[in-house]
Each structure stands twice: as C-alpha cells, then as structure tokens.
Amino acid sequence: MKKIETLYQHGTLAQLVSGLFEGNLSIGELLEHGDTGIGTLSGLDGELMIIKGKVYQFAANGKIRLVNSDEKVPFANIHFQNDQSIGTLANLDFATFKNRIPQKIKTLNLFFAVRLVGLFDQIHTRAIAAQKPPYPTLTDAAAKQKEYLTTDIRGTAIGYFCPDLYSGTGTPGFHLHFLAENQQTGGHLLDFKLNSGELFIQVFTDFNLHLPIEDPLFLKKKFKLQNLLNSIIKAEG
Amino acid sequence: MKKIETLYQHGTLAQLVSGLFEGNLSIGELLEHGDTGIGTLSGLDGELMIIKGKVYQFAANGKIRLVNSDEKVPFANIHFQNDQSIGTLANLDFATFKNRIPQKIKTLNLFFAVRLVGLFDQIHTRAIAAQKPPYPTLTDAAAKQKEYLTTDIRGTAIGYFCPDLYSGTGTPGFHLHFLAENQQTGGHLLDFKLNSGELFIQVFTDFNLHLPIEDPLFLKKKFKLQNLLNSIIKAEG
C-alpha cells in the first residue's frame, strides 16, 4: 500500500553538515518509499530529482543522467505523489514564493511537498561536486559548488517545506531542486523567476525518519543540535 | 504487518511545552501502531504506561486505571515490542543507568526503547494533574506535579532514549514511566534505585512522527526551536 500521507527521509541533515557523505541506502531501497523526491549521491555527488519513479542526477559538470538502482544515497526525501493543484502562479521569484506559500497552507507546522511546473524566465541552480574521503564539512563543500544560470526554460521545481522545529533533521523552510523539461539542466534551486506555472501541494501527517543503523561512522559521530543550527543556514541558503 | 523497526510518535514535544494539551488522537488509533509505550491523556491528565496492548493511567491522585479506546492523547510514543535482553543489572540508580546504557548501545544517535523489569529498592515518580483550558505551559503544569516515593516494589520501567538532535520533537535522553507489578503505583520516573532486574532493549531504524493535522490550535501555533530547548530541559528533568 502506498502511504501517501508520509514523507520518508533517509538520513538526518546533521550527517551532511558534519561531513558524513558516504551513501548508505540504495536507490532501489529508497524507491520502495516513494516516486517523487530529492537527494544527493554518495560523496555529495550532484543533486537528485526523483520524478515519476525515475531518478535524475544533475552533476557539478552540468550533465544530467539517470541513476542506477544500486547507487547509494547518504540523504534523500521521497514520497508517493498525490498532490493537489492550488492554482497558477505568475511573475514571482523564489523569495516571494517562500513568503506566499505558507500563507496558503495556513500553517508552518506541517511538512509538505511542493511541485511547481511551468515556464521560468530564469533559474539559478547549484550542484556540489563529488567529494573524496576524508570528507570536508557541508559548508566547505558548498563553498566550492558549481552554479548555473538558465533563462527561458520549462521545467519542474520539486521539494519540501520543513518546519523550523525540525532544523538539524532537515533544512528548515523550503528546499527545492529543478529538472528542465528538456532534461538538459537542473540542480538545487538557489533562485528562480517564474513566468507562469501551476503549483501542486501535498501536506503530510507523517514524517518517517530512517537512520543508517549499520553505518559505523554515523553511529559514533557526536552531534550537538545547538552547534548545527548555524551551519545549516550557512550551507543551504 | 507489525513494523518492529519503527518508533511511532503522536505529536511533537513542542506542543506540550507550549501548552497545547488537548488530546487529538484516540487510544484506539494509537494502538494500531504498537503495543508498548508511554504518553499522557488530554489535559496532561496523568502518566500512561502501555504494556502488552493495555493502556494504564497513573493519575495525580495516585490511582491506576485502564484507559478506554475512545480517550484521547495529545502526545504518546508507541512501538511493537520485539526487544532483546542485554542482561541483568543490580544496585544502580537512574543517573548511573543513564550513563551506562548508551555505552552498551555504542551510539547516541539512534532512538531505542528500554524495558527494565525487576525489584526496585525505591522508585520516585510523578504525575501531572489534569489541566483545564486555558492551559498553562508544561513548565508551570510540571511545577505543580504530585510526587510519589515507593520502596521495595516489583515492576517495569518502560520508555525511550531520544538523541539530542531531536530535542523539541522529543525529550532528549531517557524518558521512562513505571508500572508496579501489583498495579498499585506508577508514573513518570524521576529517580529509582534498582535492587536487581533484567534490561531489554529495542533499537529502531525508523522514527515515525505523526502530527495532529486537524487540530487548529496546533496548526496556528508559532514554534521556535531555539526557544524550546531550555523549557524542555526544565520541565522534563
């Protein structure tokens, strides 16, 4: 049975912030928990977009490819798409989107998925290059990210809203990735200017956190919530 | 199928800290997700112990009763018991237990259930009396808790370890309730002196957070993680 009320997350964001980038769940296993989502591959190798059960990687070199089921993720979010249109949007940027959408949902306290399909005047994305052990922190890896600007492009922005309360487990606020309709570009969204598009929302009652119980580096790592909050804002902004 | 790898939680601890004490999930619905756990009833009315699918309430007046399936909880943790003995313990207090057990598990980064069955030289428990709207904060309610000291008592301490990273979602560290074998006393454990007993542990790969999506007070509440951390430590110590 597809659990459409559940957002599934493999890994805790604290791992990435602390430099635990090794993949510890296969794409095949991940896809048992949804058909739509975002994530990254082992070593923070690029940005993943999961749409209709297909997993696309936008790598730091700007190339897109389909990912195999035996490749591994250190972190990903996934759900079974059952979203609802809440209408069309036009002429807005990412900052306006971030302000306006929670007002439509009328709460900041639930996890929800967003899917924005349309024509974008501009998208500004990034991808992090594959890191090699010994891994740096997320902040250091993100400082060397590759950025891409594309204009007049059709595509889909997909991702999630995570309430502030779960900072450290996830990125507080919105975290979206992009895939162009022509599959020529994508990545982690830093900014966009939407020409016009349709917004779909799926609100979750359940958030299922799945932890890498067999990863010795994760088990031994010392995490402190207080120390993580600032690092997360810095790396994911 | 019983999901023995999952700790299920209804509600986020932030609700209780902020005075959202109204029950919004029935005991019947809660029991679909486990047979063992802890929680509290609507209005913070006492301390719940769930053992073998039966739900016991230890009220602030010191009485124990079985709870009906239509009563509601604002917050509870539950799982399907499938724990393993990790041996006998003797002559230790709660502080020593808190130090020693994570060393046996060899990680502070996973959620796990504990069940300690034995003879206690002393138990020190509390129960919060039912609060009436407009509800106070958890700190204020806990300040007026009823405390009980019992000596030479057989019983079961059950509860959970929550990693520091999920402070605000749950109580960081150990959170245990007690039920006497003779069912004459129980409550939220403040301290104990164990004579001898057997310890059972169940480590979870998954933590399923279920949020009260239909509770308008929850949806509207403004939570800020940073503000919650101190309040939690104060109220749940």
Side-chain angles (χ1 to χ4, degrees):
Chain A
M1 197 184 66
K2 291 182 180 179
K3 294 185 68 183
I4 57 172
E5 75 284 1
T6 300
L7 168 60
Y8 185 88
Q9 178 171 302
H10 173 65
T12 187
L13 188 66
Q15 290 166 244
L16 300 192
V17 174
S18 310
L20 296 176
F21 299 163
E22 205 66 31
N24 37 32
L25 186 79
S26 74
I27 291 289
E29 290 167 306
L30 181 66
L31 288 173
E32 293 172 14
H33 303 280
D35 51 29
T36 305
I38 60 177
T40 186
L41 288 176
S42 204
L44 291 191
D45 186 6
E47 311 285 338
L48 299 182
M49 290 76 69
I50 308 168
I51 296 184
K52 294 180 181 169
K54 287 187 177 170
V55 184
Y56 303 86
Q57 178 209 34
F58 180 68
N61 65 4
K63 305 274 190 202
I64 286 192
R65 69 176 179 99
L66 279 169
V67 174
N68 298 320
S69 67
D70 60 350
E71 295 184 65
K72 289 190 173 177
V73 293
F75 188 89
N77 284 104
I78 197 165
H79 69 282
F80 287 105
Q81 186 192 305
N82 186 43
D83 53 16
Q84 297 194 314
S85 173
I86 63 163
T88 54
L89 299 173
N91 302 316
L92 92 174
D93 62 12
F94 200 6
T96 311
F97 177 91
K98 287 175 181 173
N99 278 326
R100 199 181 294 174
I101 303 313
Q103 291 171 21
K104 286 185 187 269
I105 307 295
K106 297 195 175 87
T107 183
L108 293 168
N109 300 328
L110 294 171
F111 292 86
F112 58 88
V114 300
R115 188 164 60 94
L116 177 58
V117 185
L119 175 64
F120 293 78
D121 290 333
Q122 191 176 89
I123 62 153
H124 180 193
T125 63
R126 72 109 191 266
I128 297 179
Q131 306 293 307
K132 301 258 181 274
Y135 292 126
T137 63
L138 181 58
T139 309
D140 290 341
K144 288 181 276 181
Q145 69 196 16
K146 297 291 179 188
E147 299 187 21
Y148 292 87
L149 264 177
T150 314
T151 55
D152 299 317
I153 182 96
R154 289 198 170 273
T156 300
I158 51 166
Y160 300 95
F161 176 84
C162 169
D164 177 79
L165 268 183
Y166 312 103
S167 306
T169 305
T171 309
F174 288 96
H175 183 172
L176 303 186
H177 288 191
F178 181 82
L179 180 66
E181 191 179 284
N182 65 13
Q183 298 185 12
Q184 297 302 298
T185 192
H188 170 105
L189 268 173
L190 297 174
D191 201 2
F192 65 73
K193 291 196 180 99
L194 178 71
N195 185 300
S196 72
E198 187 167 9
L199 178 64
F200 300 84
I201 298 276
Q202 184 169 346
V203 181
F204 303 108
T205 59
D206 287 69
F207 174 70
N208 189 127
L209 179 70
H210 177 258
L211 296 171
I213 194 169
E214 290 178 348
D215 183 332
L217 291 177
F218 167 71
L219 296 180
K220 280 179 199 160
K221 192 76 182 178
K222 286 201 163 62
F223 298 112
K224 192 75 192 165
L225 180 56
Q226 192 62 73
N227 302 343
L228 285 164
L229 300 180
N230 287 334
S231 307
I232 291 166
I233 291 159
K234 213 165 163 185
E236 296 280 336
Chain B
M1 197 183 68
K2 291 182 181 180
K3 294 186 68 182
I4 57 171
E5 74 284 4
T6 299
L7 168 60
Y8 185 89
Q9 179 172 302
H10 171 66
T12 186
L13 188 65
Q15 292 167 241
L16 299 192
V17 174
S18 310
L20 296 176
F21 298 164
E22 206 65 32
N24 38 32
L25 187 79
S26 73
I27 291 289
E29 290 167 306
L30 181 67
L31 289 172
E32 292 172 14
H33 303 280
D35 52 29
T36 305
I38 60 177
T40 187
L41 288 176
S42 203
L44 291 191
D45 187 8
E47 311 286 337
L48 299 182
M49 290 77 69
I50 308 169
I51 295 183
K52 295 181 180 168
K54 286 188 179 170
V55 184
Y56 303 86
Q57 178 210 34
F58 180 68
N61 66 5
K63 305 275 189 200
I64 287 194
R65 69 176 180 99
L66 279 170
V67 174
N68 298 319
S69 67
D70 60 351
E71 295 184 65
K72 290 189 170 176
V73 292
F75 188 89
N77 285 105
I78 196 164
H79 69 284
F80 287 105
Q81 186 192 305
N82 186 42
D83 52 16
Q84 298 193 313
S85 173
I86 63 164
T88 54
L89 298 174
N91 302 316
L92 93 173
D93 61 12
F94 200 6
T96 311
F97 177 91
K98 287 175 182 173
N99 278 326
R100 198 181 293 174
I101 302 313
Q103 290 171 21
K104 286 184 187 267
I105 307 295
K106 296 195 176 89
T107 183
L108 293 168
N109 299 329
L110 294 171
F111 292 87
F112 58 87
V114 300
R115 189 165 60 94
L116 177 58
V117 185
L119 176 63
F120 293 79
D121 290 333
Q122 190 176 90
I123 61 153
H124 179 192
T125 62
R126 73 109 190 265
I128 296 179
Q131 307 292 306
K132 301 258 181 276
Y135 293 125
T137 63
L138 181 58
T139 308
D140 290 340
K144 288 182 276 181
Q145 69 195 16
K146 297 291 179 185
E147 298 187 20
Y148 292 86
L149 264 178
T150 314
T151 55
D152 298 317
I153 182 99
R154 287 196 171 275
T156 300
I158 52 167
Y160 300 94
F161 177 83
C162 169
D164 178 79
L165 267 183
Y166 312 103
S167 306
T169 305
T171 309
F174 288 97
H175 183 171
L176 303 186
H177 289 190
F178 182 81
L179 180 67
E181 191 179 284
N182 65 13
Q183 299 184 10
Q184 296 301 300
T185 192
H188 171 104
L189 269 173
L190 297 174
D191 201 1
F192 65 71
K193 290 196 181 100
L194 178 72
N195 185 300
S196 74
E198 187 167 9
L199 178 64
F200 301 83
I201 298 277
Q202 185 169 346
V203 180
F204 303 108
T205 58
D206 288 69
F207 173 70
N208 189 125
L209 179 69
H210 176 259
L211 296 171
I213 195 170
E214 291 178 349
D215 183 331
L217 291 177
F218 167 70
L219 296 180
K220 280 179 200 161
K221 192 77 183 179
K222 286 199 164 60
F223 298 112
K224 193 74 191 164
L225 180 56
Q226 194 61 73
N227 302 342
L228 284 165
L229 300 181
N230 288 332
S231 306
I232 291 166
I233 291 160
K234 212 166 164 187
E236 296 281 336

